[in-house]
Amino acid sequence: MIRAIVTTESLDVAAEHAALEHGGAVATFTGLVRADDGVATLELEHYPGATEAALRRLAEEAVQRWSLSAATIVHRVGPMQPGERIVFTGAASAHRAAALEACAFLIDRLKTDAPFWKREVVNGQTRWVEARETDDHAADRWR
């Protein structure tokens, strides 16, 4: 089972996790909006169709690379407040090592391979978030 979803709705982590439970091991990652530097609002934009396709390709690659029984990526777009869930990745496998590695792969690669644009509001001022070199390094370990 592969799920790759972009949504404006709140993420239901319990439901996403439960959908991956088919025996063996399940590894998940949930990212929250940070309040770094006084961020009041984070807004994500995406390229409809292309973003979902990029997420699906990553999930398909993970399933093949680690022989997963399931992979899920759910990413929010639109305005969000600090503390809200922004992304969920999950991997299910017969063995924990494969599930853990695949989950790390999914979050590391989606940060660089999926077309999202971030804009922050800090002290009433809006600014675009630039790509981070640390994200590039994390993604590079999987290439």
Side-chain angles (χ1 to χ4, degrees), residues 46-62:
H46 76 298
Y47 185 0
T51 303
E52 292 87 349
L55 296 178
R56 184 164 190 83
R57 281 191 302 273
L58 288 174
E60 288 169 349
E61 184 177 343

Side-chain angles (χ1 to χ4, degrees), residues 12-50:
D12 185 343
V13 172
E16 296 300 339
H17 189 282
L20 291 166
E21 293 179 348
H22 300 289
V26 175
T28 66
F29 172 84
T30 304
L32 307 176
V33 176
R34 294 185 308 259
D36 295 353
D37 302 323
V39 171
T41 303
L42 176 69
E43 185 166 354
L44 259 76
E45 295 182 10
H46 76 298
Y47 185 0

Side-chain angles (χ1 to χ4, degrees), residues 56-70:
R56 184 164 190 83
R57 281 191 302 273
L58 288 174
E60 288 169 349
E61 184 177 343
V63 165
Q64 290 178 353
R65 192 168 178 175
W66 284 279
S67 299
L68 303 178
S69 58

